[in-house]
Amino acid sequence: FGRLCPSAPGSALFMSASCLPRSVLHGDGQIDMEGALVPAEIRRIIDLIDEEISHNYTLVEEVIHADHSGFKDTLVRTLQIEEKLAHMHGAVDDLDGQVHAPDTGVRARMDIIINAHRELTTTIANNSEIIDVLHRLQSIHADVVLYDKLVQEGAYEHATRNLQEVLAAVNAFPKHSEGDPRILAVLRDQHRMRHKQLKAHMLQKFQEYVQVSSQHISIHGVDPLPGTGKKGKRKGGTEEAPRTYLGEVFASMELLGILEAQADGLAEALGRHVFGGIATSPLWTITTTDNHLSITSTAPEVATSPAAVPGSKRKVHDAPPPPPVDPSAVYRNLEATVEFLRNVPFRGHPGLLRAVGAVLWPRIAGDVIRSVLSVAIPLDRARLEDFKHVEALTKALETRLGPHGLGLTGPEDKQLSKYVEDVDTHFAEKKRRVMLERVRDLIFNADHSTTVVSMPNQAPDHPFRFPTCAITLLARDLVGIVTGALAEAASSTPRGSLDLYEAARSCLDLFRALYPVHHSARLAMVPVIAAAFHNDLMYISHSLMTPPCPFPALLTASSAPSGPYLRPMADLVPLFRRIASEHWSSQCRKQATVVKEHLDAMGGLTDTHLPNRTPAVEGGLKRVVHHITHLGKVLVPVLPRGVYLTTMGAMVEDVAARLTYMVLALDNISEDESHQLYRLLHDVEKLAVVFKTEVGEEPHVRRWVPSWRKLLRVTAMMDMPLVGIVEHWTTGALKEAALTDQEVRGMVRALFSDSPLRKQSLDQIR
């Protein structure tokens, strides 16, 4: 009727679906008595099932009471073990009674046995599901007990795999009975709890075993697990390293899916605390023991300068550039540190080493490029050959730290090689950065000191002759920086030439954009600084029109079909000249406004003979004369002679024209008033001194001040008799001063009272 299935050694007997008795009926309804059992054997099978269920039920009950108090009731309601067993016992007793009844024939007995067999077969098949569930629960219970034992022993990898097997067993439960959802929910809760506990435990162990602090790396947990202290033999004859607690932690974290995130954090800590120092300076000493790496600084202590104290208003100008870094010393420290990481914490875990290296290497490469290679690039193109040695050392380092050190083989991990191979571009970039930093420092730290520039070897009629004037030291240094870069560009590669050319242009753009803004207050308030700025711009423009050397490399690169368009420097000349003109014109208008305010404060030239009017008029004229003469004294050594004379001429012209207009506007001048006006206006003639630019030179005021002769004639008329005025008109002296007959006749009427002589004189002035 059925057969018992043998179970695994050391475990209880289990009845599976494949071991159940098959039906004794064929498809045609014939009876097959082969393998049929007598009722005593059927009773023995049922007793074995009862014993097996009781045994498994006891084991499951232990798990239930340990994990979930309500699980027992759920399982009992779902499986209903006692009720099904009682039904099976009753069915066997009925069968035994029917078979042994004296009034039952043989044929009837066989029918009873066959029907009973069918019913018992169905019952046993249904209860086989019960046995299968109990079997699975017993297996889960054993896995859980084994998991706790493995965690206590430090076999974290095996414990993690065991926990994963528990989850797989839970997911493999049959889903037919109504109690299964609650059963699975309880089991999954238990799995989640242990999974969370294991993850937290592994993170704690990771932080305990791998400690990275400032300039220190300490590795713990490298002791071998019990029973693995001796090295074994792998297939092929190679030695297998003993399993360590740290290795178990790494393997467990990898199975849990949290190793990659911790690798990123570890790489960040290593880069910040360890590699951030040794990759930027050779002044470190690496000391390693079995499980510890120490980094000690050998840099001498440097006293802090008072000018560099935070919060101090003083600035440290022209700080010396950082000293060249010895690449070989830096590279030795990097190799020693990576070797320690590869042999101690990451031994036997190349995947973790690659994960850490993928995050750490870009930072190491960036630090080396920024602090070693960029500093090693010389600022003199003639010394670029010396960089070949650094290039060879760098490529060797990348090979040792890449594939053989951190396990990195991708093309994106060749940052150092790419950098040293493109040294011409980086030379130009460094040159550009240094040039811009230098120009920026010159602008910010400018003290407006000037120096006189002159070109005595140029003929006066030279088309590009630059006049003698004063420029700031900033402009002189700026032109030196630009012309030096252009001179290097002439002997550079096409790409380097264009980079240096653009660097020179950038310096000029920085100056014209930053200097007027940063020094706007002084440019507006101090005429000398404004004049020097005007000269600076004109001097720079002149330098752009007369380059110091030819640029065949630039022309070749710009004329190539694929080369970029090269803008000539000459396009900056009108821009700089326009800025110079605008700033100087603004300053001139400001000074003219000051003079106009002094003239307006006089209140005109009327009644100058009165005691309350004389001080106002006299004071106003003296302020005008003083302002203009003082301005001339400070500007004459700065501005070019032509610019100076034009500027002062325009200013004095405004004064002369306005005073002349004010005198001619008077309609009644008394004798005392005329004497007073003559005395006051005679002081204005002192303005002629501002046009004497050189010692012994006669001032040519009339050339630069058209109204100057007219003002002198009007002043002289204040002290002339009527006959003298008529004589000057007749001889043409007044006409030469641009005085019209109407203006002279008006002066005669204002100065002299009505008389026949005045009438006769007026008739002669026509």
Side-chain angles (χ1 to χ4, degrees):
F1 203 89
R3 298 190 304 272
L4 291 175
C5 293
S7 61
S11 62
L13 295 175
F14 295 101
M15 179 73 73
S16 64
S18 61
C19 299
L20 296 176
R22 299 177 181 176
S23 173
V24 297
L25 289 179
H26 292 291
D28 56 1
Q30 298 296 322
I31 300 174
D32 185 4
M33 297 302 296
E34 181 181 0
L37 300 178
V38 297
E41 293 178 342
I42 295 176
R43 185 181 297 278
R44 185 173 63 84
I45 292 174
I46 295 174
D47 291 339
L48 287 175
I49 294 175
D50 188 12
E51 180 182 354
E52 179 68 19
I53 290 176
S54 300
H55 175 67
N56 283 278
Y57 183 79
T58 302
L59 295 178
V60 173
E61 192 176 36
E62 294 177 1
V63 179
I64 293 170
H65 283 297
D67 294 335
H68 198 280
S69 60
F71 188 57
K72 177 181 177 181
D73 297 335
T74 303
L75 186 62
V76 171
R77 285 196 305 270
T78 304
L79 302 180
Q80 298 178 351
I81 297 175
E82 294 85 349
E83 180 180 351
K84 293 185 178 182
L85 288 177
H87 176 72
M88 292 175 65
H89 279 291
V92 172
D93 292 339
D94 293 342
L95 176 61
D96 187 41
Q98 293 178 15
V99 170
H100 293 86
D103 56 348
T104 304
V106 177
R107 181 68 180 180
R109 292 180 181 180
M110 293 303 302
D111 290 340
I112 294 172
I113 293 174
I114 291 172
N115 292 332
H117 284 179
R118 290 177 178 174
E119 183 178 355
L120 289 175
T121 298
T122 303
T123 303
I124 294 173
N126 293 336
N127 283 277
S128 68
E129 296 181 2
I130 301 173
I131 297 173
D132 185 60
V133 170
L134 295 176
H135 180 200
R136 294 174 186 272
L137 290 175
Q138 183 186 20
S139 176
I140 292 173
H141 171 71
D143 287 339
V144 172
V145 172
L146 178 61
Y147 162 81
D148 294 335
K149 180 180 179 182
L150 292 173
V151 170
Q152 292 176 358
E153 294 176 352
Y156 303 121
E157 179 183 5
H158 293 169
T160 307
R161 295 187 184 279
N162 181 268
L163 193 62
Q164 292 177 343
E165 292 174 0
V166 170
L167 179 62
V170 171
N171 292 333
F173 256 79
K175 303 177 181 179
H176 303 298
S177 61
E178 63 179 75
D180 282 348
R182 291 194 58 182
I183 298 172
L184 297 178
V186 172
L187 293 177
R188 287 195 174 96
D189 285 342
Q190 295 300 315
H191 174 269
R192 280 194 295 268
M193 178 187 69
R194 284 177 169 78
H195 186 273
K196 184 177 180 181
Q197 291 174 349
L198 180 61
K199 184 184 294 186
H201 188 60
M202 291 302 98
L203 293 177
Q204 178 184 357
K205 287 295 182 182
F206 181 85
Q207 297 174 0
E208 176 184 340
Y209 289 161
V210 182
Q211 297 180 2
V212 179
S213 59
S214 179
Q215 303 170 10
H216 291 279
I217 304 177
S218 298
I219 307 300
H220 305 279
V222 293
D223 300 327
L225 288 173
T228 62
K230 297 181 180 180
K231 294 183 178 180
K233 290 287 185 178
R234 289 196 184 100
K235 292 182 180 180
T238 60
E239 290 188 349
E240 181 179 3
R243 301 182 64 84
T244 63
Y245 289 97
L246 180 61
E248 290 288 327
V249 170
F250 286 161
S252 175
M253 293 175 66
E254 185 174 6
L255 292 173
L256 292 171
I258 60 175
L259 184 59
E260 184 176 353
Q262 293 303 309
D264 293 347
L266 176 60
E268 179 65 24
L270 289 171
R272 182 172 63 255
H273 295 298
V274 178
F275 289 97
I278 63 176
T280 57
S281 173
L283 303 177
W284 298 95
T285 300
I286 305 297
T287 305
T288 60
T289 59
D290 292 338
N291 304 325
H292 183 78
L293 181 141
S294 178
I295 307 172
T296 307
S297 174
T298 60
E301 295 185 0
V302 180
T304 304
S305 172
V309 174
S312 174
K313 293 184 179 180
R314 290 184 57 191
K315 297 180 181 179
V316 180
H317 304 315
D318 299 332
V325 178
D326 182 12
S328 58
V330 173
Y331 294 170
R332 283 195 302 269
N333 290 338
L334 288 174
E335 291 179 27
T337 306
V338 172
E339 186 71 11
F340 173 81
L341 293 175
R342 188 168 64 88
N343 293 331
V344 180
F346 301 142
R347 181 178 56 195
H349 298 279
L352 177 60
L353 182 62
R354 283 193 297 271
V356 173
V359 179
L360 189 59
W361 177 246
R363 177 163 185 162
I364 296 176
D367 289 339
V368 171
I369 290 173
R370 182 172 54 256
S371 302
V372 179
L373 298 180
S374 63
V375 177
I377 294 177
L379 289 175
D380 185 3
R381 178 167 290 277
R383 297 179 55 195
L384 279 180
E385 280 298 321
D386 300 339
F387 193 75
K388 297 290 185 182
H389 175 64
V390 178
E391 179 179 352
L393 290 176
T394 303
K395 289 184 176 180
L397 170 77
E398 193 170 53
T399 300
R400 289 191 292 269
L401 294 190
H404 303 303
L406 299 174
L408 305 177
T409 58
E412 68 277 1
D413 303 317
K414 301 292 183 181
Q415 298 99 316
L416 298 182
S417 297
K418 293 178 182 177
Y419 186 89
V420 296
E421 290 171 357
D422 197 13
V423 64
D424 284 334
T425 301
H426 298 303
F427 166 77
E429 292 177 353
K430 182 177 181 179
K431 191 79 174 180
R432 177 180 183 274
R433 183 178 67 255
V434 172
M435 289 168 57
L436 290 176
E437 290 176 354
R438 175 64 177 165
V439 172
R440 182 195 60 196
D441 292 341
L442 288 174
I443 293 173
F444 285 151
N445 303 326
D447 57 359
H448 311 289
S449 300
T450 59
T451 182
V452 177
V453 292
S454 61
M455 299 182 180
N457 296 330
Q458 289 184 344
D461 57 346
H462 192 280
F464 295 109
R465 182 177 182 272
F466 189 75
T468 301
C469 64
I471 63 171
T472 62
L473 300 179
L474 164 61
R476 184 195 64 183
D477 295 342
L478 175 62
V479 171
I481 292 172
V482 171
T483 54
L486 294 179
E488 284 197 52
S491 60
S492 181
T493 61
R495 171 64 186 275
S497 297
L498 291 175
D499 290 339
L500 290 172
Y501 168 81
E502 292 296 337
R505 254 190 109 87
S506 299
C507 291
L508 296 173
D509 290 337
L510 180 64
F511 172 77
R512 70 179 177 85
L514 185 57
Y515 188 92
V517 176
H518 186 69
H519 299 284
S520 58
R522 292 188 177 184
L523 289 174
M525 300 301 297
V526 184
V528 177
I529 295 178
F533 180 59
H534 167 271
N535 296 345
D536 291 346
L537 295 171
M538 300 303 292
Y539 178 72
I540 294 172
S541 301
H542 179 270
S543 301
L544 296 179
M545 291 191 300
T546 56
C549 56
F551 307 110
L554 287 175
L555 298 177
T556 302
S558 63
S559 60
S562 60
Y565 172 66
L566 179 63
R567 295 175 294 171
M569 284 287 188
D571 68 332
L572 295 177
V573 173
L575 177 60
F576 274 78
R577 287 185 171 180
R578 178 175 59 81
I579 296 174
S581 176
E582 290 176 353
H583 276 271
W584 184 240
S585 298
S586 175
Q587 181 61 225
C588 291
R589 288 193 298 270
K590 189 179 296 294
Q591 299 303 320
T593 301
V594 175
V595 173
K596 181 178 179 297
E597 291 174 353
H598 292 328
L599 293 176
D600 292 341
M602 295 189 310
L605 296 178
T606 58
D607 300 328
T608 54
H609 62 292
L610 299 178
N612 60 337
R613 288 283 298 142
T614 301
V617 176
E618 185 176 10
L621 290 176
K622 285 184 177 181
R623 284 190 292 271
V624 169
V625 173
H626 173 76
H627 182 83
I628 295 177
T629 54
H630 177 71
L631 186 63
K633 289 179 181 179
V634 298
L635 292 182
V636 68
V638 178
L639 288 172
R641 185 173 184 274
V643 178
Y644 170 80
L645 292 175
T646 302
T647 301
M648 301 309 297
M651 193 171 298
V652 175
E653 168 64 18
D654 290 341
V655 175
R658 186 167 182 186
L659 290 177
T660 302
Y661 174 80
M662 294 169 67
V663 173
L664 294 176
L666 299 174
D667 57 356
N668 186 12
I669 304 174
S670 64
E671 183 178 358
D672 294 338
E673 189 176 359
S674 65
H675 292 307
Q676 190 75 319
L677 283 174
Y678 177 79
R679 182 181 66 82
L680 294 173
L681 294 177
H682 187 69
D683 290 339
V684 178
E685 296 179 9
K686 296 177 181 179
L687 292 176
V689 73
V690 301
F691 296 96
K692 186 178 181 180
T693 58
E694 296 181 5
V695 178
E697 180 189 24
E698 291 296 329
H700 302 284
V701 185
R702 298 174 183 178
R703 177 181 175 184
W704 306 103
V705 186
S707 301
W708 184 254
R709 181 181 294 183
K710 189 174 184 179
L711 176 63
L712 295 182
R713 292 303 181 186
V714 170
T715 302
M717 288 171 63
M718 295 291 178
D719 198 35
M720 282 185 185
L722 181 57
V723 177
I725 295 175
V726 174
E727 182 180 356
H728 277 73
W729 175 259
T730 303
T731 57
L734 297 180
K735 291 181 181 179
E736 291 178 358
L739 282 167
T740 64
D741 57 345
Q742 295 295 332
E743 292 173 338
V744 175
R745 288 163 64 88
M747 284 291 296
V748 170
R749 291 191 182 98
L751 289 170
F752 302 98
S753 59
D754 190 12
S755 66
L757 180 60
R758 190 185 80 170
K759 182 178 180 182
Q760 181 182 358
S761 299
L762 290 174
D763 291 338
Q764 294 178 4
I765 302 174
R766 292 188 183 275

